[in-house]
Amino acid sequence: MSVVVVTDSSCCLDPKMAERYDIRIVPLHVISDGRDYREGIDELPEDLSGATTSGPSPAELLEVYTRAFDDSDGDGVVAVHLSRLLSGTWEAAKNAADSFGDRVRLIDSQNTAMGLGFAALEAARAAESGADLDDVYSRAVEVAASGRTLLVVDRLDHLRRGGRIGTATALLGTALAMKPVLHLVDGKLVLREKTRTMTKAMAKLVDGVVAEAGRTPLLAVHHRGAPERAQLLVEQLAERIPDAAELLTCEIDGVLGAHVGPGAIGIVVARR
């Protein structure tokens, strides 16, 4: 067999792509109207405006790690998860991985969405090519470290309620009627710059990604119920970064959708 890669459902990986590279995805949870839904497994309500979210339990992670380790025939597991500053998944993962020693390697991607997904994907491609545990782990670390995520949301109150941004930033977008461009820094979502309109904010997203891209980058455009905005960004990125190794479009669902709200748009860039 070969090293098996595990991640969580915040990665936004297309299920067919995950299946193609045998990436195991642990579901995060959405709690809506008193019911617990597993992202990627259960059908979620369309309206998640009042939903809360939670990470997988240590028992859930242990079950996935155990199966992955067995399927690797002892070659080992690389588990790359969303930022520990955004979720309790990391602590649960440490508890679950303790019994495996160094045969289950954990990585805090300090990211989410395809900032996490690209790290898992490139690690799985390395594993498929025959790389050993050390090399697969190093590949995931390198791609995760290169990931940059930029985001604009229609309303900041979803992020504020979930504790993902501070009250001051939330007020900036509501009381002052601005569209702040946010980004992840060291695993935490913070203000990048201020804009007045969604059009200007989207232009800043593209400019920011172009500045970070380097050669043959990995790109993903994310949206929450805003396919027209996403298509516009895809067209602009294709024109300005024609040598991109990948340019994916991924709709935000479930856990991330509950936090960013309808109309959110974002871009992830990483380096292969």
Side-chain angles (χ1 to χ4, degrees), residues 22 58 74 78 82 94 157 188 211 240 248-249 261 264:
D22 193 28
V78 170
L82 79 164
K94 286 203 302 181
D157 50 348
K188 185 178 181 180
R240 295 186 62 181
L248 308 176
T249 305

Side-chain angles (χ1 to χ4, degrees), residues 23-213:
I23 299 171
R24 315 296 172 88
I25 299 179
V26 184
L28 277 65
H29 295 256
V30 176
I31 297 89
S32 179
D33 292 328
R35 182 175 172 184
D36 189 334
Y37 299 88
R38 297 165 298 170
E39 186 175 36
I41 297 177
D42 302 321
E43 185 175 352
L44 302 178
E46 288 188 15
D47 183 7
L48 296 177
S49 56
T52 58
T53 63
S54 67
S57 68
E60 289 175 293
L61 288 156
L62 178 61
E63 180 181 354
V64 175
Y65 293 166
T66 299
R67 189 179 305 117
F69 183 72
D70 291 344
D71 290 345
S72 79
D73 292 334
D75 285 346
V77 174
V78 170
V80 52
H81 292 294
L82 79 164
S83 169
R84 73 180 76 187
L85 297 180
L86 298 177
S87 168
T89 300
W90 173 257
E91 291 301 324
K94 286 203 302 181
N95 290 335
D98 275 349
S99 60
F100 295 94
D102 67 350
R103 304 311 294 169
V104 173
R105 307 279 183 89
L106 297 181
I107 299 166
D108 175 2
S109 69
Q110 295 194 328
N111 222 308
T112 189
M114 283 300 294
L116 165 62
F118 279 135
L121 183 59
E122 290 299 298
R125 286 170 170 163
E128 184 181 61
S129 71
D132 64 15
L133 183 60
D134 288 339
D135 288 341
V136 174
Y137 173 81
S138 295
R139 186 71 189 129
V141 169
E142 290 167 0
V143 178
S146 77
R148 301 290 181 269
T149 298
L150 285 75
L151 174 71
V152 179
V153 297
D154 265 346
R155 295 177 58 86
L156 287 162
D157 50 348
H158 296 277
L159 288 167
R160 179 187 57 78
R161 282 199 305 268
R164 269 59 184 184
I165 59 169
T167 302
T169 302
L171 288 174
L172 175 70
T174 52
L176 302 181
M178 301 192 76
K179 294 292 183 186
V181 177
L182 308 170
H183 65 152
L184 280 165
V185 177
D186 297 329
K188 185 178 181 180
L189 195 61
V190 298
L191 177 67
R192 180 182 175 98
E193 53 189 311
K194 308 168 188 176
T195 63
R196 287 284 182 185
T197 66
M198 178 60 76
T199 299
K200 291 180 179 179
M202 290 172 61
K204 292 292 186 181
L205 287 182
V206 175
D207 289 343
V209 168
V210 169
E212 296 277 2

